[in-house]
Amino acid sequence: MTRPTLRTLRTHRIAIAPSGFKESLSAARVAEAIAVGVRRVIPDADLDLIPLVDGGEGTAEALALAGGGRLVPVTATGPVGEPVASHFALLGGPGPLTAVVEMAAVAGLALVPPGLRHPGATTTYGVGELIRAALDAGARRILVGCGDSGTSDGGAGALQALGARLTDRHGRELRRGGGALHELESVDPSGLDPRLADAELLVACNPYNVLCGKRGVARVFGPQKGATPAEVELLSAGLERLADVLTRDLAPRSGVAIDLRTAPGTGASGGLGAGLAAVGARLLPRYDVLLDGLDLDARLARADFVITAEGALDHQTVRGKIPAEVARRAHAAGVPVLVLAGTIGPGAQDVRAVGVDAYSSILPAPMTLVEAIGRSGEFLADAAERSMRIMALGTRIAPLAAA
């Protein structure tokens, strides 16, 4: 039997603006899966697919595609110290040659095997190697995307790869990983790559993430990366020590005026934001940078309805995640928003405050995480179809209610 389709639903202009599903689907594939489900109900819908990135997985590829650029393959040091196949992007367009370094492509959580998820041992050394590779390629403007990290070393590894020498009280080179930071005594910047002085280094980060304090990055994200409560406290103490030493030894040389402990974005990617800020990088709200050129506000305003999505909808969503940003912008234009999510967690209801009108899990039944990840495209399409049919039912009931 052929499924009936809906041609009476007035919402035909639909913007689909999701993030990617970590370790599963890119933002582009999420948007395509949702579009499949929508078209099962409204075959002639006018769909505007706007896959969005937040600095994490897929950022370099997405910006290369959007900016007429290309990916440059690089073998670099991964988060557990082994070589990994990574990349950065070189963008097209006028002005100085711009590179995009996606930290998740070399130090992301997806690159840390489950049995090795100990953020006290993982390193951002590969991020520094990618920055140097971008400089080697002639880039003089480097955008570092923060997100989906598997590290908590405050960017110490990246600084080491860029030529800084981090030593303990005996003058020995500090071992890699956030678990060693409490032993840090000094930072010698004399070996830093001199090309950094002539390059513009921009960090696209979540401004809600700070390095230290009660909401410091180790306390908020350490447990997600595998840290025990005792390890969280050790990491927090190490990041406090790193901030002190960088402020004394490195920040004055780079003309840094921000507080490396609490300035917005210093906690990005396990504190990578603070480490790069100490060598002169500018920490910028990620959507101010990453959405540039997409004309997102106008595209959302033209829609009758917006669908966005992310892997997990919970209390962290309102703190700078893509669905919250999309909802805020769509709400300003008076456009309703639906969120489809892999899982619904505590605090999900908070998204209503930023403009989300409805949200739903895509999972049809309880299942293992492995199965959910493997079938996420199928589940997204089915969830989009269900949502559109429920909307269709609403349009049929509304006239009866009015009567």
Side-chain angles (χ1 to χ4, degrees):
M1 180 178 178
T2 302
R3 284 180 172 174
T5 57
L6 176 71
R7 295 186 181 277
T8 58
L9 187 62
R10 289 176 296 173
T11 302
H12 281 258
R13 293 188 303 271
I14 302 173
I16 301 175
S19 69
F21 278 31
K22 293 178 179 59
E23 302 184 59
S24 177
L25 298 175
S26 68
R29 291 185 63 194
V30 170
E32 290 163 2
I34 293 171
V36 167
V38 171
R39 286 206 165 100
R40 289 175 187 167
V41 184
I42 315 177
D44 60 348
D46 180 5
L47 303 184
D48 185 8
L49 275 58
I50 320 171
L52 300 176
V53 291
D54 62 2
E57 293 174 9
T59 293
E61 181 179 12
L63 294 186
L65 289 172
R70 61 185 175 92
L71 289 182
V72 180
V74 178
T75 298
T77 304
V80 299
E82 297 295 327
V84 297
S86 187
H87 58 261
F88 65 91
L90 288 175
L91 305 186
L97 183 62
T98 297
V100 178
V101 169
E102 174 191 319
M103 83 85 58
V106 73
L109 187 61
L111 296 175
V112 185
L116 297 177
R117 291 190 173 179
H118 305 297
T122 50
T123 179
T124 56
Y125 196 90
V127 178
E129 290 178 318
L130 290 187
I131 292 173
R132 292 188 74 157
L135 291 169
D136 290 343
R140 290 300 173 262
R141 184 174 185 267
I142 301 175
L143 172 62
V144 179
C146 289
D148 304 330
S149 72
T151 57
S152 191
D153 72 350
L159 293 176
Q160 290 172 314
L162 289 170
R165 189 164 182 265
L166 281 65
T167 56
D168 63 17
R169 63 189 181 90
H170 301 293
R172 298 174 301 204
E173 188 75 24
L174 207 68
R175 69 183 187 276
R176 296 174 193 171
L181 292 177
H182 68 284
E183 302 173 6
L184 179 64
E185 180 63 27
S186 65
V187 176
D188 178 3
S190 61
L192 278 171
D193 193 315
R195 295 173 297 179
L196 289 171
D198 298 320
E200 183 181 21
L201 193 58
L202 308 175
V203 180
C205 54
N206 187 340
Y208 288 101
N209 294 341
V210 298
L211 187 68
C212 302
K214 292 181 179 179
R215 297 292 301 172
V217 67
R219 292 192 170 92
V220 175
F221 296 106
Q224 297 177 13
K225 299 174 183 179
T228 65
E231 289 169 337
V232 165
E233 293 309 309
L234 179 66
L235 289 170
S236 295
L239 293 174
E240 292 274 1
R241 178 61 183 163
L242 177 67
D244 287 344
V245 176
L246 290 179
T247 298
R248 182 195 69 203
D249 295 350
L250 198 52
R253 176 181 184 273
S254 304
V256 177
I258 66 170
D259 185 340
L260 294 179
R261 300 170 186 81
T262 60
T266 52
S269 289
L272 177 65
L276 294 182
V279 292
R282 293 164 53 203
L283 307 184
L284 303 174
R286 54 187 171 182
Y287 298 122
D288 290 355
V289 180
L290 300 174
L291 302 184
D292 186 34
L294 287 179
D295 199 22
L296 181 61
D297 290 330
R299 292 169 75 176
L300 296 178
R302 285 195 294 268
D304 300 306
F305 179 53
V306 174
I307 303 175
T308 183
E310 72 169 335
L313 193 73
D314 55 28
H315 67 281
Q316 292 187 18
T317 302
V318 297
R319 297 179 63 83
K321 296 294 186 70
I322 281 176
E325 181 70 13
V326 169
R328 182 181 65 81
R329 292 168 181 252
H331 181 72
V335 181
V337 176
L338 166 70
V339 180
L340 299 177
T343 60
I344 306 293
Q349 68 277 3
D350 296 346
V351 297
R352 296 193 182 99
V354 295
V356 172
D357 295 279
Y359 57 84
S360 176
S361 172
I362 67 172
L363 298 182
M367 64 186 65
T368 66
L369 178 61
V370 172
E371 182 180 5
I373 289 175
R375 300 177 64 187
S376 54
E378 169 193 343
F379 293 153
L380 273 163
D382 291 346
E385 178 185 354
R386 288 194 300 271
S387 298
M388 299 310 297
R389 292 193 183 282
I390 290 171
M391 287 182 60
L393 178 62
T395 64
R396 295 176 64 183
I397 291 175
L400 297 176

